[in-house]
Amino acid sequence: MLKSLPELRHAAEEFARLGGDSTLNYFKKSFQLEFKEDDSPVTNADQTAERLIRDQINKQFPDHGIIGEEFGEENADSEVVWVLDPIDGTQSFIHGVPFYTTLIGILIEKKPEIGVIYAPALEEMVSAAVGHGCTLNGKNTSVRECVSLSKATFLSTEVTTFKQYGFSDPFSELLNKTRLHRTWGDAYGHMMVATGRADIMIDPILNIWDAAALLPIVTEAGGSYTDVHGKPSIETGNAITTNSSLLPEILSLFDTKDD
């Protein structure tokens, strides 16, 4: 039986806190570090957190599906699918930087309806359900009003991926046009936009477990979540989060991306 969005959101918040808090047993302490086939890092903290979240989903919602970064798919054709990234920003985690997060997105009939971003080292949780608003630690939050790139704070995860995926020209244009650029990236950057602490966050490359939580959070915060072509999708592999005033000019820069 499909529970209501507020009930599922509450469960997602609980599970994100459970998994995220488990990472604090390893953060700035001892952990095992390995590298996957794509050379991305993974730790036993990632794996422990995902197992804890999966166990709770299977216990409380046995007919739901799961897609997780560390342990793959389980009943992924179900009406309700939980999408998990136990540690988004593993590079931050392994270097003792507190800007890593635990992500949970919930797809209902393949549409992203619920999102949770939890930064355990900072004790910050943003969550949203479509039609029910966005909160930071339980209080309503929203993107901030910024109508000019010259006044905007622009965030990214790193610089090299823009060139790698053919976006170095729009990236350079944004550096020139915006007031400030910082690499407070990964999901925490999107969290900064959703809570009105930054104006633009761009990811040239995303997997579904990176993206599923972000769309409902940013849109319920009154912002826009699109790919570089303006499509609001979690499956196209890149993302721009910002407000509706800045989006058209940002998208125009990507219309002339590198050949």
Side-chain angles (χ1 to χ4, degrees):
M1 181 173 171
L2 177 61
K3 290 191 174 283
S4 70
L5 288 185
E7 289 176 304
L8 286 174
R9 176 184 182 177
H10 179 70
E13 291 172 347
E14 288 189 339
F15 299 170
R17 193 176 301 279
L18 175 68
D21 285 349
S22 76
T23 69
L24 297 175
N25 296 321
Y26 305 89
F27 183 57
K28 295 185 180 180
K29 300 171 186 175
S30 176
F31 54 84
Q32 298 171 8
L33 174 63
E34 300 176 357
F35 289 88
K36 304 177 190 178
E37 291 183 3
D38 63 0
D39 205 35
S40 62
V42 61
T43 72
N44 54 331
D46 299 71
Q47 296 164 341
T48 297
E50 185 167 321
R51 286 193 187 99
L52 285 170
I53 297 170
R54 280 178 176 266
D55 286 348
Q56 287 301 311
I57 296 168
N58 286 328
K59 179 180 179 181
Q60 297 189 36
F61 306 102
D63 57 333
H64 290 189
I66 302 173
I67 299 173
E69 179 177 11
E70 305 309 330
F71 298 111
E73 297 185 358
E74 182 179 338
N75 300 324
D77 293 328
S78 298
E79 180 183 8
V80 181
V81 177
W82 297 64
V83 186
L84 314 177
D85 189 347
I87 297 181
D88 182 84
T90 302
Q91 293 286 9
S92 292
F93 175 84
I94 64 180
H95 288 91
V97 177
F99 296 153
Y100 74 92
T101 59
T102 297
L103 304 182
I104 296 180
I106 300 180
L107 311 181
I108 300 177
E109 295 182 347
K110 302 188 183 302
K111 296 180 180 179
E113 298 281 353
I114 293 169
V116 177
I117 304 173
Y118 178 46
L122 299 172
E123 298 183 346
E124 292 183 349
M125 178 179 286
V126 174
S127 79
V130 171
H132 295 272
C134 180
T135 60
L136 169 62
N137 291 349
K139 297 182 179 179
N140 291 338
T141 190
S142 66
V143 299
R144 67 185 178 193
E145 294 184 12
C146 179
V147 298
S148 171
L149 287 179
S150 65
K151 297 180 180 179
T153 297
F154 165 39
L155 307 182
S156 64
T157 301
E158 56 187 61
V159 174
T160 55
T161 49
F162 283 87
K163 182 176 181 180
Q164 181 181 353
Y165 290 93
F167 301 127
S168 57
D169 284 350
F171 176 73
S172 297
E173 285 290 313
L174 282 166
L175 289 183
N176 291 331
K177 290 177 178 289
T178 52
R179 182 184 66 85
L180 178 68
H181 172 253
R182 289 290 183 268
T183 51
W184 298 324
D186 300 305
Y188 191 75
H190 299 280
M191 185 179 186
M192 292 273 284
V193 173
T195 55
R197 293 178 284 180
D199 305 294
I200 307 163
M201 171 66 194
I202 301 180
D203 264 312
I205 179 66
L206 287 175
N207 293 298
I208 191 171
W209 47 79
D210 303 309
L214 304 181
L215 190 153
I217 284 173
V218 175
T219 55
E220 286 298 307
S224 63
Y225 176 101
T226 74
D227 65 13
V228 297
H229 303 295
K231 183 179 180 180
S233 172
I234 63 170
E235 298 179 344
T236 51
N238 53 65
I240 300 170
T241 58
T242 186
N243 65 43
S244 58
S245 297
L246 297 176
L247 182 63
E249 187 173 358
I250 296 169
L251 290 175
S252 72
L253 300 177
F254 283 88
D255 282 343
T256 56
K257 79 180 186 74
D258 306 354
D259 294 329

